[in-house]
PDB file of all heavy atoms in Angstrom:
ATOM      1  N   PHE A 125       3.303   0.260   7.752  1.00  0.00           N
ATOM      2  CA  PHE A 125       4.596   0.804   7.804  1.00  0.00           C
ATOM      3  C   PHE A 125       4.858   1.487   6.435  1.00  0.00           C
ATOM      4  O   PHE A 125       4.725   0.955   5.337  1.00  0.00           O
ATOM      5  CB  PHE A 125       5.611  -0.326   7.931  1.00  0.00           C
ATOM      6  CG  PHE A 125       7.088   0.218   8.173  1.00  0.00           C
ATOM      7  CD1 PHE A 125       7.462   0.640   9.300  1.00  0.00           C
ATOM      8  CD2 PHE A 125       8.009   0.240   7.032  1.00  0.00           C
ATOM      9  CE1 PHE A 125       8.785   1.198   9.570  1.00  0.00           C
ATOM     10  CE2 PHE A 125       9.236   0.706   7.276  1.00  0.00           C
ATOM     11  CZ  PHE A 125       9.676   1.193   8.449  1.00  0.00           C
ATOM     12  N   THR A 126       5.224   2.847   6.540  1.00  0.00           N
ATOM     13  CA  THR A 126       5.251   3.624   5.254  1.00  0.00           C
ATOM     14  C   THR A 126       6.618   4.404   5.289  1.00  0.00           C
ATOM     15  O   THR A 126       7.339   4.458   6.301  1.00  0.00           O
ATOM     16  CB  THR A 126       4.166   4.651   5.176  1.00  0.00           C
ATOM     17  OG1 THR A 126       4.262   5.627   6.292  1.00  0.00           O
ATOM     18  CG2 THR A 126       2.777   3.958   5.371  1.00  0.00           C
ATOM     19  N   PRO A 127       6.891   5.130   4.151  1.00  0.00           N
ATOM     20  CA  PRO A 127       8.131   5.976   4.158  1.00  0.00           C
ATOM     21  C   PRO A 127       8.238   6.973   5.325  1.00  0.00           C
ATOM     22  O   PRO A 127       9.287   7.356   5.665  1.00  0.00           O
ATOM     23  CB  PRO A 127       7.960   6.565   2.757  1.00  0.00           C
ATOM     24  CG  PRO A 127       7.105   5.691   1.981  1.00  0.00           C
ATOM     25  CD  PRO A 127       6.205   5.047   2.852  1.00  0.00           C
ATOM     26  N   LYS A 128       7.053   7.350   5.724  1.00  0.00           N
ATOM     27  CA  LYS A 128       7.115   8.329   6.915  1.00  0.00           C
ATOM     28  C   LYS A 128       7.915   7.845   8.107  1.00  0.00           C
ATOM     29  O   LYS A 128       8.550   8.518   8.858  1.00  0.00           O
ATOM     30  CB  LYS A 128       5.693   8.532   7.451  1.00  0.00           C
ATOM     31  CG  LYS A 128       4.932   9.747   6.839  1.00  0.00           C
ATOM     32  CD  LYS A 128       3.750  10.066   7.637  1.00  0.00           C
ATOM     33  CE  LYS A 128       3.098  11.398   7.403  1.00  0.00           C
ATOM     34  NZ  LYS A 128       3.382  12.301   6.561  1.00  0.00           N
ATOM     35  N   HIS A 129       7.840   6.531   8.327  1.00  0.00           N
ATOM     36  CA  HIS A 129       8.550   5.965   9.438  1.00  0.00           C
ATOM     37  C   HIS A 129      10.076   6.058   9.256  1.00  0.00           C
ATOM     38  O   HIS A 129      10.738   5.680  10.285  1.00  0.00           O
ATOM     39  CB  HIS A 129       8.093   4.426   9.640  1.00  0.00           C
ATOM     40  CG  HIS A 129       6.716   4.414  10.115  1.00  0.00           C
ATOM     41  ND1 HIS A 129       5.704   4.033   9.249  1.00  0.00           N
ATOM     42  CD2 HIS A 129       6.086   4.772  11.244  1.00  0.00           C
ATOM     43  CE1 HIS A 129       4.554   3.998   9.917  1.00  0.00           C
ATOM     44  NE2 HIS A 129       4.716   4.443  11.134  1.00  0.00           N
ATOM     45  N   LEU A 130      10.511   6.325   8.078  1.00  0.00           N
ATOM     46  CA  LEU A 130      11.913   6.399   7.882  1.00  0.00           C
ATOM     47  C   LEU A 130      12.439   7.804   7.676  1.00  0.00           C
ATOM     48  O   LEU A 130      13.579   8.029   7.251  1.00  0.00           O
ATOM     49  CB  LEU A 130      12.340   5.498   6.638  1.00  0.00           C
ATOM     50  CG  LEU A 130      12.063   4.016   6.885  1.00  0.00           C
ATOM     51  CD1 LEU A 130      12.360   3.243   5.583  1.00  0.00           C
ATOM     52  CD2 LEU A 130      12.855   3.416   8.003  1.00  0.00           C
ATOM     53  N   GLU A 131      11.567   8.770   7.924  1.00  0.00           N
ATOM     54  CA  GLU A 131      11.978  10.132   7.731  1.00  0.00           C
ATOM     55  C   GLU A 131      12.964  10.630   8.785  1.00  0.00           C
ATOM     56  O   GLU A 131      13.063  10.070   9.859  1.00  0.00           O
ATOM     57  CB  GLU A 131      10.714  11.128   7.815  1.00  0.00           C
ATOM     58  CG  GLU A 131      10.035  11.223   6.488  1.00  0.00           C
ATOM     59  CD  GLU A 131       8.710  11.980   6.664  1.00  0.00           C
ATOM     60  OE1 GLU A 131       8.367  12.540   7.695  1.00  0.00           O
ATOM     61  OE2 GLU A 131       7.916  11.904   5.656  1.00  0.00           O
ATOM     62  N   ASN A 132      13.826  11.606   8.388  1.00  0.00           N
ATOM     63  CA  ASN A 132      14.747  12.278   9.281  1.00  0.00           C
ATOM     64  C   ASN A 132      15.804  11.284   9.975  1.00  0.00           C
ATOM     65  O   ASN A 132      15.930  11.482  11.128  1.00  0.00           O
ATOM     66  CB  ASN A 132      13.912  12.971  10.395  1.00  0.00           C
ATOM     67  CG  ASN A 132      12.983  13.997   9.790  1.00  0.00           C
ATOM     68  OD1 ASN A 132      13.317  14.555   8.863  1.00  0.00           O
ATOM     69  ND2 ASN A 132      11.791  14.072  10.432  1.00  0.00           N
TER      70      ASN A 132
END
Side-chain angles (χ1 to χ4, degrees):
F125 185 80
T126 69
K128 267 196 165 4
H129 293 105
L130 296 176
E131 273 173 9
N132 305 321

